Amino acid sequence: METLSNKPSLARRLVIGRNPRVTLIRASLLALVFSVLFGFVLRPMRVKGFSMTPTYRDGSVNLLNRLAYRSSPPRRGDVVCIKTTGMRHLYMKRVIGLPGERVAIVAGQVMIDGQPLDEPYVVDREKWNLPEKQLGPNEYIVIGDNRQMDQSLHSWGRVTREKIAGKVLW
Amino acid sequence: MVKQLPKILIILALAGAVIWGLRILFPGNETRIRRNLEELSELATFTGREGNFKKVATASALSEHFSTNAEIVIEVAGSGVGTLQGRGEIRQRVFAAMTQGRAFQVQFYDINIVVAPDKQTATAEMTAKISPGDGDFIVQELRFHLGKADSNWVIERIETMKTFQ
């Protein structure tokens, strides 16, 4: 009878476990791993706005890999986030122009070094125009997938690599 | 040494409390600018249902954060460039915005402040989120140029920063 009364209840075992000290250490380690992972490596984010439709819809949730470009530079077609003065608000854009390239947009068609760029992610496009720009050794051109909107309403253009906060995970 | 540990801890706690108190009583330039910006965003946030007296008081208090010749030059994608010149025009425009009966919200994030070595001028770069009350919002990087007037920091110029070149 004595042994039965000393046995912790099922609810207590489920919540705290058999050994509270071990559970506490496990919970602390888990919290540490989660805070490092989601604080410094994978940043959760919510898409606001329509500049990346149809690829990313308003309100969708994603993760930003902040370590993606530590060992290799951004590549054409990557969807990246651009920093503002900090990380609270970011712009989600697609990389179309790489360092050293000449980039132009003629009647909605992106031209890289004089050649048209195939962009299967763009569904429909307005006749945007951009006079040819020569990118510097550390510069990229980023743009949204939604080219149906007026060019003047869309935030896009040239950024340096330091402004790229990371790569969108999916 | 072990016996003295409580005493050492008490002394350290007291020293910490004194430093904290001094910082509250005598804030540095950066802290004062940060507080000014917080107050500015609170004043620029309104429901649109304020009474006339409150509207006048808010517009006046907000304009006091600016120098007499302050200039605001804001360029928003698709809306062109908007300019305000002088404290008087800023007060009038704030009052006019409040009388439209619409809610308005201004929040500043990621504020980076640099005070010049002479401690008479400073710049503050930040990301502003401006919600005009229709559920939509604008995010814009802004640069504030501040100067000291009678030991108070006032805004001399606000301009937009271009995220994309």
Side-chain angles (χ1 to χ4, degrees):
Chain A
M1 287 299 280
E2 207 171 278
T3 47
L4 273 176
S5 64
N6 284 340
K7 199 176 175 183
S9 68
L10 180 67
R12 190 191 145 103
R13 269 189 291 153
L14 281 174
V15 176
I16 305 173
R18 286 210 169 96
N19 187 337
R21 188 179 288 178
V22 172
T23 306
L24 187 69
I25 291 167
R26 276 184 189 157
S28 307
L29 276 174
L30 204 63
L32 185 73
V33 167
F34 268 77
S35 43
V36 169
L37 186 67
F38 292 112
F40 299 98
V41 184
L42 296 174
R43 185 190 163 90
M45 57 182 199
R46 183 180 290 276
V47 178
K48 291 270 183 188
F50 302 93
S51 79
M52 282 301 285
T53 49
T55 317
Y56 297 96
R57 298 195 178 277
D58 181 42
S60 61
V61 176
N62 213 308
L63 288 170
L64 177 71
N65 179 3
R66 295 181 67 184
L67 303 182
Y69 300 125
R70 282 184 76 89
S71 55
S72 60
R75 294 186 304 178
R76 194 184 335 275
D78 284 357
V79 177
V80 298
C81 280
I82 308 299
K83 289 180 207 167
T84 50
T85 55
M87 292 288 289
R88 180 72 183 242
H89 288 280
L90 304 165
Y91 287 95
M92 187 194 260
K93 301 288 166 191
R94 190 181 293 274
V95 176
I96 57 161
L98 301 175
E101 290 180 338
R102 287 178 292 116
V103 182
I105 301 178
V106 182
Q109 175 63 56
V110 175
M111 308 292 285
I112 307 291
D113 292 333
Q115 298 297 312
L117 176 68
D118 181 30
E119 295 185 284
Y121 39 81
V122 178
V123 172
D124 197 6
R125 60 188 85 200
E126 286 292 306
K127 291 183 175 169
W128 292 16
N129 286 294
L130 173 74
E132 190 171 87
K133 280 187 180 182
Q134 172 74 54
L135 296 180
N138 194 32
E139 291 180 334
Y140 296 82
I141 293 240
V142 294
I143 194 168
D145 287 355
N146 182 2
R147 315 279 171 80
Q148 290 175 305
M149 61 199 294
D150 193 287
Q151 183 178 349
S152 66
L153 297 173
H154 195 101
S155 298
W156 61 286
R158 192 162 36 176
V159 292
T160 56
R161 182 166 170 178
E162 294 75 45
K163 291 286 273 183
I164 298 176
K167 185 180 177 183
V168 174
L169 215 58
W170 64 80
Chain B
M1 183 67 186
V2 177
K3 278 183 182 176
Q4 286 177 335
L5 194 63
K7 274 186 188 173
I8 293 168
L9 286 175
I10 289 169
I11 290 166
L12 283 175
L14 280 173
V18 168
I19 291 167
W20 179 74
L22 285 173
R23 282 194 173 182
I24 296 286
L25 289 172
F26 306 104
N29 285 310
E30 194 181 322
T31 309
R32 287 164 61 194
I33 291 169
R34 223 169 263 282
R35 280 186 197 165
N36 278 4
L37 294 172
E38 269 172 34
E39 200 179 308
L40 185 74
S41 73
E42 282 168 18
L43 287 166
T45 298
F46 45 83
T47 62
R49 295 191 298 271
E50 290 83 0
N52 281 335
F53 183 76
K54 169 90 174 167
K55 284 174 193 164
V56 173
T58 302
S60 182
L62 193 143
S63 68
E64 291 300 315
H65 282 274
F66 292 84
S67 68
T68 47
N69 300 317
E71 188 179 38
I72 302 177
V73 183
I74 303 287
E75 187 178 355
V76 178
S79 304
V81 182
T83 308
L84 296 180
Q85 290 277 355
R87 192 186 275 170
E89 191 180 355
I90 293 167
R91 188 189 304 122
Q92 283 172 12
R93 291 292 288 271
V94 171
F95 182 74
M98 291 183 84
T99 52
Q100 285 181 348
R102 286 200 316 175
F104 198 81
Q105 192 177 34
V106 177
Q107 290 161 294
F108 298 135
Y109 298 105
D110 300 320
I111 304 170
N112 305 315
I113 297 168
V114 178
V115 179
D118 64 359
K119 296 185 175 157
Q120 295 302 305
T121 58
T123 55
E125 294 180 349
M126 69 203 73
T127 305
K129 183 182 174 188
I130 301 156
S131 314
D134 51 7
D136 207 356
F137 65 87
I138 301 161
V139 171
Q140 181 67 56
E141 286 182 88
L142 296 176
R143 183 180 292 119
F144 285 43
H145 297 268
L146 301 108
K148 242 181 191 172
D150 301 330
S151 77
N152 290 322
W153 286 100
V154 288
I155 300 159
E156 291 174 341
R157 183 180 163 85
I158 299 177
E159 62 194 22
T160 43
M161 292 166 64
K162 286 192 173 174
T163 309
F164 304 97
Q165 301 300 315

